[in-house]
Amino acid sequence: MRLRLKLFLLAAVPLLLSVALIAAAVRHQEQALARREQALVQEAYMAARQAELKHYVDLAVSTIRPLYERRHQDPQAQAEALRLLGSLDYGSDGYFFVYDLQGRVLMHSRQPELLGQNLWELRDPQGQPTIQQLIGRAKAGGGFVTYPWRKPSSGQMVPKLGYVTALPDWNWMIGTGLYLDDIQSTLGALDRQVGAHITTTLLWIAGIAMAGLGLLSASGLWLNLSEHRVADAKLGLLARQVVRSQESERAHLARELHDGTSQTLVSAKLMIESAVDSLERAGSTPPPALAKALERLNDALGEVRHLSHRLRPATLDTLGLPAALAWLGHEFGEHGQLQVHLQLDEPEPPLPDEVATVLFRVAQEALANIGKHAQAQRVSLTLSAERGGVCLTIHDDGQGFDLQAVQQDPQRGIGLRNMRERLESIDGTLELDAAPGAGTTLWARVPAAALARLGAVGAEPA
């Protein structure tokens, strides 16, 4: 065997073995991290859902407690209580239900066709007695039950986490529940993203291995200190990329995971308001501490709403994207003492909810960056139609920045990456025109094909 071949094998074999071991270790670590993150996500989700459901049921019981405690077995009081419970809901799939302890439906705001039916013998596809389990849990002092039920917004049978409690004097069971299909979609998205990260990392490793072999062959396969330094630098870069990938995944989970703090505060606020209302109806003067507690809760709720990143902003749900952007622009101008020029066209037809949410979040992130870094005097925000699609344009007359340097620096540009990733999730694009001293212009575009696809998905029959 020639000396050159021996030197090649002496250099190549350890390199290939090292890269293979690194690839195996990276793959194992990322998979282990994904499993831990999934477990944490599911645990945090279930804990938040359970606390949320218990607050809702406590709120419902406190709402009808004056009727329950003062007018036992009064049909008029019971009818008024059912009316009040039927008027309480939260979201498209949040509602309360009432059964008697023999399984007869007394109130169900989303399925009125069930009223009066006795569902004691109702069983799920696995043969479990659904209503009997709920009533048994209520009689035992209340608690949580997981069971399949038809989701109103989709018409499909999905797992549901319910919380029930009993009103023995009225022979009632009151409960509510939250559907668990959204955690499954979140975990599925997490699995796909982890798989994509693993594939990208392995491709990087394979590319680095091939580049190393090519370099060894082209240079005559001579082993020297410079080659070792290059290999060490590449492996160091790979390690940093793995760490950034892991941190990016954690940031994504922190951003997308729904936090129940706001709903908990709202539930506590409504309970205190209900207590104040009950005291006033009884002719008693509410203690001053309740008013101060409401004030503190309102302050805390306002702070949480400003800090949290909701997937569905309330302003979008009630007023639509143009009005939400107008509110955002006015608020930014007031707090930042800037001139904000708005030109917002009402899209026709209205944008799909997912598109409106992404564009709103992009505007939030862009205005936040302007307020922190741009030192601008004037900002313009434009929403307009563009070749059947929609374009959000944000321009400021600030100091600008070096776009290439920001994109290459791993410690900067997190907001730009977040905006780009959000737009890519709906087949949109992000473009930037920035230079030091020349201001910055951002274009967030969603093409007509993406609007049509997302609109068709949202319009599918339940």
Side-chain angles (χ1 to χ4, degrees), residues 31-311:
Q31 288 178 339
L33 175 62
R35 289 192 294 269
R36 290 195 297 269
E37 288 177 337
Q38 283 186 346
L40 289 174
V41 168
Q42 194 161 10
E43 181 180 357
Y45 178 90
M46 294 302 294
R49 296 298 82 112
Q50 289 179 355
E52 182 180 351
L53 287 177
K54 190 174 186 306
H55 280 299
Y56 285 156
V57 172
D58 290 342
L59 170 63
V61 171
S62 67
T63 300
I64 65 171
R65 187 174 299 279
L67 297 170
Y68 178 75
E69 292 178 347
R70 300 175 188 176
R71 302 165 70 179
H72 298 290
Q73 299 298 333
D74 184 346
Q76 292 183 351
Q78 293 177 351
E80 176 63 13
L82 291 176
R83 186 191 66 79
L84 290 174
L85 293 174
S87 65
L88 298 176
D89 60 13
Y90 46 96
S92 59
D93 295 309
Y95 58 89
F96 293 90
F97 53 81
V98 181
Y99 292 70
D100 65 21
L101 297 183
Q102 287 73 45
R104 186 167 61 92
V105 182
L106 301 178
M107 190 279 292
H108 200 297
S109 60
R110 292 296 191 276
Q111 293 179 272
E113 68 275 7
L114 298 179
L115 293 180
Q117 296 186 26
N118 192 312
L119 304 182
W120 180 262
E121 298 297 332
L122 179 68
R123 295 180 180 270
D124 63 22
Q126 285 72 43
Q128 298 298 319
T130 301
I131 305 304
Q132 293 180 34
Q133 290 179 337
L134 291 170
I135 293 177
R137 180 66 67 183
K139 288 181 177 179
F144 300 96
V145 179
T146 301
Y147 58 98
W149 198 261
R150 182 172 65 84
K151 189 174 182 178
S153 62
S154 65
Q156 298 179 347
M157 294 290 290
V158 297
K160 183 177 183 179
L161 175 67
Y163 180 84
V164 293
T165 188
L167 298 180
D169 291 345
W170 282 4
N171 194 39
W172 279 13
M173 173 189 71
I174 297 178
T176 188
L178 292 172
Y179 295 93
L180 304 178
D181 53 339
D182 54 343
I183 186 61
Q184 300 300 325
S185 62
T186 299
L187 293 177
L190 177 61
D191 284 338
R192 291 190 295 272
Q193 290 169 358
V194 169
H197 282 300
I198 292 175
T199 301
T200 301
T201 302
L202 294 178
L203 288 175
W204 269 101
I205 295 174
I208 292 174
M210 294 302 296
L213 289 175
L215 183 60
L216 287 172
S217 300
S219 64
L221 306 178
W222 298 107
L223 299 176
N224 53 58
L225 293 177
S226 63
E227 293 292 336
H228 286 292
R229 286 194 295 269
V230 170
D232 289 340
K234 290 183 178 180
L235 291 177
L237 175 61
L238 175 62
R240 289 192 296 272
Q241 289 170 341
V242 170
V243 172
R244 286 199 298 269
S245 174
Q246 293 172 345
E247 292 302 322
S248 175
E249 191 65 35
R250 292 191 185 99
H252 172 76
L253 288 174
R255 185 177 64 247
E256 299 299 335
L257 184 63
H258 176 67
D259 188 0
T261 303
S262 293
Q263 296 187 16
T264 301
L265 292 175
V266 170
S267 298
K269 175 176 176 291
L270 292 176
M271 292 174 66
I272 294 177
E273 289 177 345
S274 177
V276 171
D277 184 62
S278 299
L279 291 172
E280 291 177 348
R281 287 202 304 268
S284 301
T285 301
L290 288 180
K292 185 171 289 294
L294 279 176
E295 181 181 356
R296 295 288 177 84
L297 278 175
N298 284 325
D299 293 341
L301 186 60
E303 292 178 3
V304 168
R305 284 174 175 169
H306 280 86
L307 293 175
S308 64
H309 293 276
R310 292 182 178 275
L311 295 176

Side-chain angles (χ1 to χ4, degrees), residues 362-377:
V362 168
Q364 275 187 318
E365 185 70 39
L367 291 178
N369 287 339
I370 291 171
K372 291 178 182 178
H373 310 295
Q375 297 182 10
Q377 301 297 322

